Amino acid sequence: MNSSALVVKYAEIHLKGLNRPFFERKLVEKIEEALADVRPRVVREQGRIFVYDLPEDHLEEYAQRLQKVFGIHSVSIAACGEKTWEDVRALGIRLMAAYRDEQKTFKVFARRADKRFPMTSEMICRELGGELLQAYPNLKVDVHHPEIPLTVEIRQDKAFLYTGEIPCAGGMPVGTNGKAMLLISGGIDSPVAGYMIAKRGVSLAAIHFYSYPYTSERARDKVVELAQIVSQYAGAFDLYLVPFTEIQTTIYDKCPSSETTVLMRRLMMKIAERTARACGALALITGESIGQVASQTIESLAVTNDAVDMPVFRPLIGFDKEEIIERAKKIGTFETSILPYEDCCTVFVPQHPVTRPQVQKLRESEALVDFEPMIEEAVRNTEVIRISHNVSY
Ligand code: ATP
Ligand code: MG
């Protein structure tokens, strides 16, 4: 019986040598998660993943869902049938019927993963091309720039035919490269930073610092909403919400006013590092980029790094704001990020922040106060919520 399937091509997994089965299994798991509500049959076979038993009338929609699964290069909606010339021919004719009234060009591409199939790839291209020209006189062959590429794949147990590829997110399956902790604010940058690291196969946890009553419940809801959008790609993760008011007001009262922002950043990093270690995250992620604001000069970044003993990933480090905004729009966080809100960073901005802070000087300023009990208190009162996107496709 003829039916349909999704043909999934991987992104970088082919580079992974001996680890390849691990990456492939993870990808299968992620595809199953993304389509959990329809429980398809997902089969891994020689450099491809095939998804069967999907409701035939919503294939487009299911294919689109896979656009958010990292590790996938492209998805094709394929007609599949028996590995016989009769089926290949019939499926080709059926697929191309959609273009019968158009003056379009096409080309047949054939791949024979099963070399026992009696026709070579070249023969398939030639024979099927000929049949199609005969069946649809409006169509023409263009071997260099065909408008409709018709691919025929002869696999181990079936033949698959499709006329296009839906480009997907690329990257590597989440869960194949350890875990990192994203410092997420309600701004534009940090959600994009989280997306980019998750795209490299890293699982996320996230941490947000809030300062009631200086920041509102609304600001916190916004962060939760942003985290939910990120989780459409990164999968479910824990968001740690840390009360930061006491630390922040203490910095404000007791430390040099020009240094308050950098000191605040150092304390955020310290708490983030502690929380990361406790949950098995091996690195921190921030949305910083060089020179964007006073706290992101090279000197400020060095002072921030000095507060922790853990790698800090800053995937946006060389990006212009425009480029970050473009990505935020593409992944769907921008509209939420620009809703008005107060971040604890913006509430306590000093009038004349230092732009070239020195590590030694900042260590001294920090030592003016014993922050340790406050850090412990903040960690103790941290609330954890599980973030997952609602499957409301
Ligand atoms: P964003 O758009 O991500 O808010 P930003 O350009 O506003 O970034 P800053 O406010 O200086 O920059 O913050 C730099 C980074 O510090 C953020 O990208 C984020 O990773 C982290 N950060 C800032 N505020 C918070 C917060 N309240 N909770 C957790 N992380 C924060
Ligand atoms: Mg911010």
Side-chain angles (χ1 to χ4, degrees), residues 184-239:
I184 186 167
S185 67
I188 296 168
D189 309 333
S190 41
V192 178
Y195 169 95
M196 286 177 69
I197 297 297
K199 185 175 173 191
R200 299 307 301 160
V202 177
S203 311
L204 297 185
I207 189 165
H208 175 67
F209 299 87
Y210 65 90
S211 294
Y212 292 158
Y214 304 102
T215 61
S216 65
E217 186 99 16
R218 178 69 201 98
R220 176 193 136 135
D221 292 346
K222 186 182 166 185
V223 170
V224 171
E225 203 176 310
L226 285 170
Q228 277 166 343
I229 301 172
V230 174
S231 82
Q232 291 174 6
Y233 305 88
F237 59 83
D238 287 333
L239 170 64

Side-chain angles (χ1 to χ4, degrees), residues 322-342:
E322 276 308 306
E323 294 170 306
I324 301 172
I325 288 174
E326 198 182 302
R327 288 199 182 212
K329 285 183 178 163
K330 215 160 131 190
I331 66 179
T333 51
F334 183 73
E335 294 303 325
T336 307
S337 286
I338 57 171
L339 294 172
Y341 83 112
E342 339 72 37

